[in-house]
Amino acid sequence: MANWNFGNFGFADGDGDDDDGGDAGFSWKAAGRDSLILLVDVTKPMFIKQESGETHFDLCMKCAQSVLKNKIISSDRDLVGVVFFGTDKDKNSGNFKHIYALQELDQPCASRIIELGDFLQGTADDFDQKYGHSGSFSLSDALWACSNMFTQSPHNLGSKRILLFTCNDNPHENDPALQRQARTKAKDLHEVNIDIELLHLSDQGKEFRFTDFYQDIVYTADEDDAGILPDASAKLEELMTRVRAKDNKKRTMGKIGFELGDGLKLGVAVYNLIGEQRKPYPTKLYKKTNEELKKNRKTFCEETGELLMTTDVKKYQEYTGQKIVFEQEEIAQMKKFGDPGLVLIGFKPRSSLKADIHVRPAQFIFPDETSIEGSTTLFNALLKKCLAKDVIAMCRFIPRSNSAPRFVALLPQEEELDDQRVQLSPPGFHVIYLPFADDVRKLEIPDGPRATPEQIEKAKLFIKKLYFPFSSENFENPVLQTHYRNLEALALDQDLPDAVVDLTEPPNLDKRAGTQIQDFMDMVFPAGYTVAAKPPPKRKADGGQAGAAKKAAKDGGPVDVEALAQQGKLSKLTVAVLKEFCQSKGLSTAGKKNDLIQEVKTFFGL
């Protein structure tokens, strides 16, 4: 393709309801919940059994169940709805014929998942009796019903998307008027930022012809992709992969400026592609009423017990025994090093970025056309040149106001698609945080015995046998999976939770490379080998005086307080020893350990 498509790529604007407004410097878009409607074709062809023994409708219901389960875990405040089109009965706010709103746009819950599971337990006849089938539907009415659900939602919506499941590539083949209405409605939805995404299913031996009708319904941001559709999914695993790819929207951390030179600036959005997933914190309840408890933190004066306001509190830093007090305005002024954003410093070869330089997980930047017009074109040109010349961009990065500046390397990444044209990697720059000189530690590695060439060759043999292509995406956290499986079983009233396979458990190494490992062990540790004696423990830098002071204090022996004060090691003494010394010299014993240390220092004139 001549140009990359920077239209969406799985990214969504805004940060949901988690916007705390505290990250000044980022240009936050209006907060809103991600809303998703699953629009499912329920005409009779969707109920024909395929080679797998399942119908297309069964696959759709399993996908819908999976979407709701994933939403509960990943973002339970998002909204999901399910709409059938092609039914004999109708239920929707616009009174459209043959459109049945099964589940209104709302947060996912256990009862909704159970309701979708009931369709998998029933038969096609059960569905026919309860909802019926009709080919006289209008896709325009179905899209209109979805639009009404978005409009009538009481929540503030961010991204609005419709996932359309069907096996019919031309639903209004003999009715040009209905085709024209559907195209017009799809265009109207596109203009109000409602995305329509097609999840098509193919019948046995039949090709889904995207260009016959849906090419004008589904809008693509890149004209080069017009008429191109991922391969049809015949299995649940393939369909679920595509659903997850479309459903997983990454929200921006914020929007900043990227300055390339004097008067040359573009807008970028910052994303976190990797973040450690933890079990949610348990909510505390009052045991008598099961009401949720709320925390309320207050600050009191230690001496008077008076309730303090935020303006009454100051902070200090101790330096040479003195308390240096700062006002809040002074602290904010000291923290400010410049306006938030990226500033280009220069370029370096990509080979200069070492793999062992790791300060924190990298972030990802993507062009933001809403803040500065033309940012996508400039970003595209910079990305292409960096890839062509195999260089990285060195920048100064201040993520938000009152944040310390950091040096970062912008590592270019080209777009990557799989065989079904589902995006694996978006085009953009990884923001690699670089260490300062203060962060780099120099290690003194002691000399030891070196491996012989024969031992190295033996090691290569069993390492080659144990080699496998590792990818983090293939391994789920067994602790999290077990936790959520148990919650799911309790919420859905299941007898037993689904089994969790611990993929982190190492395989049988003896089966794969047992002989090679044993040969290596025999060469490195021959018969009669004895482990050398342990090295003597290292002496402490203070010559053991601190340890002696602690031991003397514990045993009640004499402690040379003056010598320790001269060496600046009074903190090694216990509170009891310090109080005993202060009492013997007629000094005050009030306060904490730091106050006692200050009394001792003042006594010795330090």
Side-chain angles (χ1 to χ4, degrees), residues 147-168:
S147 177
N148 289 343
M149 292 174 65
F150 289 127
T151 305
Q152 296 167 4
S153 174
H155 304 285
N156 184 19
L157 303 183
S159 63
K160 294 173 283 189
R161 294 174 295 128
I162 300 173
L163 293 188
L164 197 159
F165 297 82
T166 184
C167 65
N168 187 354

Side-chain angles (χ1 to χ4, degrees), residues 348-357 392 394 408-412 430 432-435:
K348 293 193 69 175
R350 184 168 183 162
S351 59
S352 63
L353 186 61
K354 305 300 181 183
D356 58 341
I357 296 179
I392 57 176
M394 307 298 296
V408 296
L410 301 187
L411 180 65
H430 291 281
I432 311 295
Y433 286 81
L434 303 177

Side-chain angles (χ1 to χ4, degrees), residues 493-566:
D493 198 21
Q494 297 175 354
D495 295 334
L496 293 173
D498 296 337
V500 176
V501 180
D502 185 3
L503 300 176
T504 64
E505 186 176 352
N508 189 342
L509 300 184
D510 290 337
K511 184 177 181 181
R512 296 175 58 189
T515 305
Q516 290 80 2
I517 294 176
Q518 189 60 46
D519 292 343
F520 174 76
M521 295 290 290
D522 293 341
M523 178 171 288
V524 177
F525 306 108
Y529 175 84
T530 56
V531 181
K534 293 183 179 179
K538 295 182 179 179
R539 294 183 61 187
K540 295 184 178 179
D542 58 6
Q545 294 184 19
K550 284 187 176 181
K551 187 175 186 300
K554 183 178 179 180
D555 298 340
V559 179
D560 191 348
V561 178
E562 184 176 2
L564 292 174
Q566 295 289 347

Side-chain angles (χ1 to χ4, degrees), residues 21 89 100 107-108 130 161 175 209 234 262 266 292-293 328 338 340 463 467 482 490 527 584 592 597:
K89 299 180 180 179
Y100 197 96
Q107 294 176 213
K130 189 171 183 179
R161 294 174 295 128
D175 197 331
R209 297 188 300 274
D262 293 338
L266 68 150
E292 183 177 346
L293 300 179
Q328 294 292 343
I463 290 175
Y467 174 82
T482 302
L490 292 172
S584 65
K592 298 183 178 180
I597 291 175

